[in-house]
Amino acid sequence: MSFTDTRTGYHRPEAPTGRGWGTAARVGLWAFLAISALFFAIPLFVMLSTSLKTAEEVRGGSVFALPTDPSLAAWGKAWGSACIGRVCEGISNGLWNSVKILVPSTILSVAIAAINGYALSLWRVPYAGLLLAGLLLGAFIPFQVMIYPLVRMFAQVGIYGSLTGVVVVHVLFGLPILTLIFTNFYRSLPPELMKAARVDGAGFFRIFRRIVLPMSANVIIVAVILSFTGVWNDYLLALIFAGRDNLPMTVQLNSLVGTRIGLPEYNVNMAATLIAALPPLILYLISGQYFVRGVTAGAVKG
């Protein structure tokens, strides 16, 4: 198509609208999303389907075949009677150990990180730039290089191999990234509110409690989700620092799946894996929209 300028008489073709490119990009996007969904959905389908089969059906059929007579027997055995070493109590004890580690670790990490981020972003803290640089460095240094010094330090103070020791380790390794998240979020808040509160005589903690904390709901949810996921899915730190009486579900799950005595019960292993993965999944399903709000509100800006 073309058109003529009535004032100058110049005849020129009409510019292309680009609708074809837009349609192709949309199709490509949907294809990418579908492939990505299948990439994650297929293993989940195999795990769920296998956990609902009997051991004989698992060994005699395809991993993609649906269970002929679905049963939750494997789930019950994984929870309460599967053998981990010489103890046949399933992974239920590991669940409660995970909760005992998770709750104080998450509460302390989020609370301390929120106060640190508030102080570094809204108050004049000496050497704040160096502190932020140290936090950034600590967030990206592999924690494996710090394990041996921490083991020696914890043994000296008497908390190695205890619930206190593993909680302290999770708090220490969770603080850098959470503090950076809170710092970036608080920097997006209007500074006039803090200045007005200071003029009215409010101090550090009163401003934090009355003004900053009520505006932090979304970023707190982001921090809780990140901390929850990191602590719940941890294996190495818990194996080293928790002690034999506080081993979480991830350690017991590894021992269960790695057992080589007798015929492997893949249905029980899959059921135990799904049980271990349910708490983070439920958390994401419940608070997913708040997580997105926290991210878009500036929680990970910077």
Side-chain angles (χ1 to χ4, degrees):
M1 297 179 63
S2 61
F3 66 94
T4 303
D5 192 328
T6 56
R7 293 180 299 173
T8 62
Y10 179 71
H11 183 78
R12 53 184 175 180
E14 184 178 359
T17 61
R19 293 180 180 176
W21 287 105
T23 303
R26 191 176 296 109
V27 171
L29 176 61
W30 280 105
F32 172 77
L33 293 175
I35 294 173
S36 300
L38 287 174
F39 179 80
F40 291 101
I42 290 176
L44 180 61
F45 166 78
V46 171
M47 292 174 62
L48 183 59
S49 174
T50 303
S51 70
L52 299 176
K53 299 176 181 178
T54 62
E56 293 75 15
E57 188 178 358
V58 171
R59 289 191 290 268
S62 170
V63 294
F64 296 104
L66 291 174
T68 55
D69 186 17
S71 171
L72 294 176
W75 288 69
K77 185 173 183 178
W79 176 253
S81 61
C83 293
I84 302 173
R86 297 182 179 180
V87 180
C88 297
E89 297 179 354
I91 61 173
S92 56
N93 289 335
L95 173 66
W96 306 125
N97 289 338
S98 294
V99 172
K100 289 191 298 183
I101 296 172
L102 171 74
V103 173
S105 299
T106 300
I107 292 175
L108 290 174
S109 297
V110 174
I112 298 173
I115 295 175
N116 287 345
Y118 163 63
L120 292 174
S121 60
L122 301 176
W123 290 76
R124 292 183 179 179
V125 178
Y127 308 106
L130 291 177
L131 289 174
L132 283 175
L135 288 171
L136 184 63
L137 185 64
F140 293 101
I141 290 180
F143 65 83
Q144 289 86 350
V145 303
M146 306 180 192
I147 288 179
Y148 180 70
L150 286 175
V151 168
R152 296 298 302 269
M153 292 169 56
F154 284 19
Q156 290 293 325
V157 298
I159 61 173
Y160 176 71
S162 66
L163 181 62
T164 302
V166 71
V167 168
V168 170
V169 167
H170 281 303
V171 172
L172 290 176
F173 285 118
L175 275 179
I177 187 64
L178 295 182
T179 300
L180 291 173
I181 288 174
F182 277 104
T183 300
N184 288 335
F185 178 79
Y186 289 148
R187 282 180 173 174
S188 66
L189 299 180
E192 291 77 13
L193 292 175
M194 319 306 156
K195 294 178 181 179
R198 293 176 193 174
V199 171
D200 291 338
F204 181 89
F205 286 104
R206 187 175 182 183
I207 295 175
F208 178 72
R209 187 178 64 255
R210 296 291 184 86
I211 299 177
V212 175
L213 204 56
M215 296 188 293
S216 306
N218 289 331
V219 71
I220 288 175
I221 291 175
V222 172
V224 167
I225 291 176
L226 293 177
S227 179
F228 185 106
T229 305
V231 175
W232 187 271
N233 293 334
D234 170 67
Y235 169 79
L236 182 61
L237 295 178
L239 178 65
I240 296 173
F241 292 96
R244 184 174 298 179
D245 296 332
N246 302 300
L247 293 177
M249 182 177 287
T250 50
V251 178
Q252 294 193 357
L253 177 63
N254 180 73
S255 300
L256 173 64
V257 174
T259 299
R260 292 294 181 266
I261 300 176
L263 293 174
E265 296 181 300
Y266 296 111
N267 55 339
V268 177
N269 295 344
M270 294 297 182
T273 304
L274 289 171
I275 292 173
L278 276 178
L281 178 61
I282 293 173
L283 178 67
Y284 274 105
L285 291 176
I286 294 175
S287 58
Q289 59 177 334
Y290 302 103
F291 181 84
V292 174
R293 290 178 188 175
V295 171
T296 56
V300 295
K301 290 194 307 182

